[in-house]
Amino acid sequence: MDALREQACITGIGETRYSRGTEKSQVGLALEASLNAIRDAGLRPGDIDGVIPYAAGMAVAEDFITNLGIEDLNYSAMTPMGGASAVAALQTALMATASGLCNHVLIVLGRTGFSGGRIGARVQQMPQFKTVGEFEMPSGAIAPPQLYAPMARRHMELHGTTSRQFAEIAVTMRKHAQLNDNAIMQKPMTVADHQNSRMISDPFRLFDCSLESDGGCAVVVSRAERAKDMANRPIYIMGVGEGHPHSPSVITQRSDLTRLGTAKAAPKAFAMAGIERRDIDVAEIYDCFTYIVLCQLEDLGFCEKGEGGDFVMDGRIGLGGELPINTHGGLLSQAHLAGMNHIHELTRQLRGDGGRAQVEDAEIGLVTGYGDLGDGAVAILRR
Amino acid sequence: MNAAYEKPVPEPTADSQPYWDGLAAHRLMIQSCAACGQARHYPQPMCPACHSLEVSWIEASRRGTLHSWTETHHPFHAGFKDDLPILLVTVDLAEGVRLQCPLRDGSIGALSLGRAVDIDFEDVTDGLTLPVARLAP
Ligand SMILES: [Zn+2]
């Protein structure tokens, strides 16, 4: 598996302005971000010979051929894993470039989660939710917060994890967002604000839930030998892996409610990268809900199962801490770009372009995606 | 079908029809592999243990224990707005599979892992019956 180690690099990143409210279409936002990423890489649109659009979006490969004027696309694919799609697409792009099939693969997402159909309301129409749709939605389990809440509740009952510990994650993400000019939530948040926010689906309060937002985000992955003399310092994909949990279509039947697909993805990514947990300088962890961050930290092996609540306390996950997490503010406070913004941010950090949120001497970082009721993807990048 | 019923309704498949027919008759039916006997839920075509496509159905005991729960306060769906808050419980059935359904008595403060519950039935429209849980006496 380590034959793929460092065979591809992230060479370009691009984002739009993130907002709650837009006149633009999903495809328009995806194209705007694409162009920014392609230019950042020092490429022309015609240089892109592979495209991986976000699997749960409206934009398809044809839109990029049509609008970017790509003469001869060699490869298109999708990685339908919900919020894990973006990081899983890094694995697909790595295979497409390392194999020699492509030189430059565009991974892109446009999202109108605020202005279009709300993220929470969309679940019923998605084929991967057909089991939940038939057997659980008729009884009132409709939206992701309700579907994920029993995982968090069981973790709390088994391990003594608390809402106060969830608050620490929300407050830390907010502090990081305040250092980012392209983060939607700039208003300070205290632990008390979190604890007083209205209950959505117990144990998730409003401030445990990610934002509904609009925007586009894209990255360009290039074959390593092509990346050496491009516009920016190449950010190498050291290792990547995806993992699917037991009972992937429905959480209710999962043998262990407190373990995500991330627990299977992480050993693969670390084995390919050939490094240890302690080598990670900064981590961008998929944060659709506060609890999902805590659970992934355990599944990634940064602490034992049940210790995630203690791990996130005492400033450990903030800037200046032992493992700074979501230095852009995450889905909780920057914007919900389904984790494409996490890849964007990790690349920024490893280039040393992190601005006010720069982690000092960040050399190696980790990014995760999580979605579709349990799928996980993990990538380890280095400068 | 009641025209005023605004909640989502299931669309049974060839695999799941006996489950829904069972509920309508106030019987909790679950699949059991005809080859190796392993129980499974929700209904699916193949036994993951032995890959047999031969299915038999058994009537479950309707006894279970709490595996987890959530209480929903936010109106995610117009059809459930008047029911809020909804207390949804994940139940370990005695047969070794789980069920998620609303808890009809008891408050969230009274719940704990392993608490015994019984499964009951509610006829919500002509032809549609859904499972509900009640705290065991
Ligand atoms: Zn069998």
Side-chain angles (χ1 to χ4, degrees), chain B residues 33-38 40 47-52 54:
Chain B
C33 175
C36 77
Q38 180 173 296
R40 62 182 192 255
C47 171
C50 77
H51 308 128
S52 170
E54 299 301 317

PDB file of all heavy atoms in Angstrom, chain B residues 33-38 40 47-52 54, ligand 1:
ATOM      1  N   CYS B  33     -32.956 -16.392   8.901  1.00  0.00           N
ATOM      2  CA  CYS B  33     -32.384 -17.109   7.766  1.00  0.00           C
ATOM      3  C   CYS B  33     -32.905 -18.549   7.748  1.00  0.00           C
ATOM      4  O   CYS B  33     -32.796 -19.264   8.749  1.00  0.00           O
ATOM      5  CB  CYS B  33     -30.866 -17.095   7.850  1.00  0.00           C
ATOM      6  SG  CYS B  33     -30.092 -18.092   6.563  1.00  0.00           S
ATOM      7  N   ALA B  34     -33.458 -18.955   6.599  1.00  0.00           N
ATOM      8  CA  ALA B  34     -34.004 -20.311   6.497  1.00  0.00           C
ATOM      9  C   ALA B  34     -32.901 -21.361   6.519  1.00  0.00           C
ATOM     10  O   ALA B  34     -33.146 -22.525   6.829  1.00  0.00           O
ATOM     11  CB  ALA B  34     -34.834 -20.437   5.215  1.00  0.00           C
ATOM     12  N   ALA B  35     -31.674 -20.957   6.211  1.00  0.00           N
ATOM     13  CA  ALA B  35     -30.569 -21.925   6.169  1.00  0.00           C
ATOM     14  C   ALA B  35     -29.853 -22.037   7.518  1.00  0.00           C
ATOM     15  O   ALA B  35     -29.625 -23.141   8.008  1.00  0.00           O
ATOM     16  CB  ALA B  35     -29.580 -21.535   5.079  1.00  0.00           C
ATOM     17  N   CYS B  36     -29.505 -20.898   8.121  1.00  0.00           N
ATOM     18  CA  CYS B  36     -28.692 -20.967   9.339  1.00  0.00           C
ATOM     19  C   CYS B  36     -29.412 -20.443  10.581  1.00  0.00           C
ATOM     20  O   CYS B  36     -28.897 -20.541  11.690  1.00  0.00           O
ATOM     21  CB  CYS B  36     -27.363 -20.228   9.154  1.00  0.00           C
ATOM     22  SG  CYS B  36     -27.491 -18.424   9.248  1.00  0.00           S
ATOM     23  N   GLY B  37     -30.575 -19.838  10.388  1.00  0.00           N
ATOM     24  CA  GLY B  37     -31.378 -19.434  11.537  1.00  0.00           C
ATOM     25  C   GLY B  37     -31.044 -18.085  12.144  1.00  0.00           C
ATOM     26  O   GLY B  37     -31.670 -17.661  13.115  1.00  0.00           O
ATOM     27  N   GLN B  38     -30.077 -17.374  11.574  1.00  0.00           N
ATOM     28  CA  GLN B  38     -29.725 -16.076  12.175  1.00  0.00           C
ATOM     29  C   GLN B  38     -30.824 -15.049  11.918  1.00  0.00           C
ATOM     30  O   GLN B  38     -31.275 -14.872  10.791  1.00  0.00           O
ATOM     31  CB  GLN B  38     -28.391 -15.564  11.604  1.00  0.00           C
ATOM     32  CG  GLN B  38     -28.004 -14.202  12.207  1.00  0.00           C
ATOM     33  CD  GLN B  38     -26.614 -13.754  11.791  1.00  0.00           C
ATOM     34  OE1 GLN B  38     -25.609 -14.393  12.127  1.00  0.00           O
ATOM     35  NE2 GLN B  38     -26.549 -12.654  11.055  1.00  0.00           N
ATOM     36  N   ARG B  40     -32.341 -11.282  11.527  1.00  0.00           N
ATOM     37  CA  ARG B  40     -31.824 -10.011  11.016  1.00  0.00           C
ATOM     38  C   ARG B  40     -32.939  -8.991  10.873  1.00  0.00           C
ATOM     39  O   ARG B  40     -34.099  -9.340  10.704  1.00  0.00           O
ATOM     40  CB  ARG B  40     -31.086 -10.218   9.687  1.00  0.00           C
ATOM     41  CG  ARG B  40     -31.953 -10.751   8.558  1.00  0.00           C
ATOM     42  CD  ARG B  40     -31.103 -10.963   7.313  1.00  0.00           C
ATOM     43  NE  ARG B  40     -31.889 -11.205   6.122  1.00  0.00           N
ATOM     44  CZ  ARG B  40     -32.016 -12.414   5.552  1.00  0.00           C
ATOM     45  NH1 ARG B  40     -31.443 -13.477   6.100  1.00  0.00           N
ATOM     46  NH2 ARG B  40     -32.734 -12.557   4.456  1.00  0.00           N
ATOM     47  N   CYS B  47     -28.785 -13.333   3.770  1.00  0.00           N
ATOM     48  CA  CYS B  47     -28.237 -13.534   5.105  1.00  0.00           C
ATOM     49  C   CYS B  47     -26.738 -13.178   5.085  1.00  0.00           C
ATOM     50  O   CYS B  47     -25.981 -13.797   4.331  1.00  0.00           O
ATOM     51  CB  CYS B  47     -28.406 -14.987   5.535  1.00  0.00           C
ATOM     52  SG  CYS B  47     -27.522 -15.379   7.067  1.00  0.00           S
ATOM     53  N   PRO B  48     -26.297 -12.220   5.904  1.00  0.00           N
ATOM     54  CA  PRO B  48     -24.890 -11.836   5.865  1.00  0.00           C
ATOM     55  C   PRO B  48     -23.975 -12.897   6.479  1.00  0.00           C
ATOM     56  O   PRO B  48     -22.764 -12.863   6.272  1.00  0.00           O
ATOM     57  CB  PRO B  48     -24.848 -10.536   6.678  1.00  0.00           C
ATOM     58  CG  PRO B  48     -26.034 -10.608   7.570  1.00  0.00           C
ATOM     59  CD  PRO B  48     -27.079 -11.414   6.847  1.00  0.00           C
ATOM     60  N   ALA B  49     -24.550 -13.854   7.206  1.00  0.00           N
ATOM     61  CA  ALA B  49     -23.728 -14.894   7.834  1.00  0.00           C
ATOM     62  C   ALA B  49     -23.422 -16.027   6.856  1.00  0.00           C
ATOM     63  O   ALA B  49     -22.287 -16.484   6.753  1.00  0.00           O
ATOM     64  CB  ALA B  49     -24.431 -15.439   9.078  1.00  0.00           C
ATOM     65  N   CYS B  50     -24.457 -16.514   6.110  1.00  0.00           N
ATOM     66  CA  CYS B  50     -24.239 -17.686   5.238  1.00  0.00           C
ATOM     67  C   CYS B  50     -24.594 -17.418   3.783  1.00  0.00           C
ATOM     68  O   CYS B  50     -24.454 -18.297   2.940  1.00  0.00           O
ATOM     69  CB  CYS B  50     -25.018 -18.880   5.768  1.00  0.00           C
ATOM     70  SG  CYS B  50     -26.785 -18.811   5.407  1.00  0.00           S
ATOM     71  N   HIS B  51     -25.085 -16.201   3.483  1.00  0.00           N
ATOM     72  CA  HIS B  51     -25.402 -15.761   2.116  1.00  0.00           C
ATOM     73  C   HIS B  51     -26.584 -16.500   1.491  1.00  0.00           C
ATOM     74  O   HIS B  51     -26.772 -16.456   0.284  1.00  0.00           O
ATOM     75  CB  HIS B  51     -24.157 -15.838   1.223  1.00  0.00           C
ATOM     76  CG  HIS B  51     -22.984 -15.123   1.818  1.00  0.00           C
ATOM     77  ND1 HIS B  51     -21.755 -15.692   1.979  1.00  0.00           N
ATOM     78  CD2 HIS B  51     -22.893 -13.890   2.354  1.00  0.00           C
ATOM     79  CE1 HIS B  51     -20.947 -14.839   2.577  1.00  0.00           C
ATOM     80  NE2 HIS B  51     -21.617 -13.742   2.819  1.00  0.00           N
ATOM     81  N   SER B  52     -27.376 -17.139   2.315  1.00  0.00           N
ATOM     82  CA  SER B  52     -28.596 -17.752   1.792  1.00  0.00           C
ATOM     83  C   SER B  52     -29.615 -16.668   1.447  1.00  0.00           C
ATOM     84  O   SER B  52     -29.738 -15.662   2.149  1.00  0.00           O
ATOM     85  CB  SER B  52     -29.196 -18.688   2.844  1.00  0.00           C
ATOM     86  OG  SER B  52     -30.491 -19.102   2.413  1.00  0.00           O
ATOM     87  N   GLU B  54     -32.772 -17.629   1.116  1.00  0.00           N
ATOM     88  CA  GLU B  54     -34.031 -18.214   1.589  1.00  0.00           C
ATOM     89  C   GLU B  54     -34.391 -17.609   2.944  1.00  0.00           C
ATOM     90  O   GLU B  54     -33.613 -17.691   3.898  1.00  0.00           O
ATOM     91  CB  GLU B  54     -33.894 -19.735   1.729  1.00  0.00           C
ATOM     92  CG  GLU B  54     -33.559 -20.446   0.419  1.00  0.00           C
ATOM     93  CD  GLU B  54     -34.612 -20.212  -0.659  1.00  0.00           C
ATOM     94  OE1 GLU B  54     -35.815 -20.268  -0.336  1.00  0.00           O
ATOM     95  OE2 GLU B  54     -34.230 -19.943  -1.818  1.00  0.00           O
TER      96      GLU B  54
HETATM   97 ZN    ZN C   1     -27.850 -17.670   7.107  1.00  0.00          ZN
END
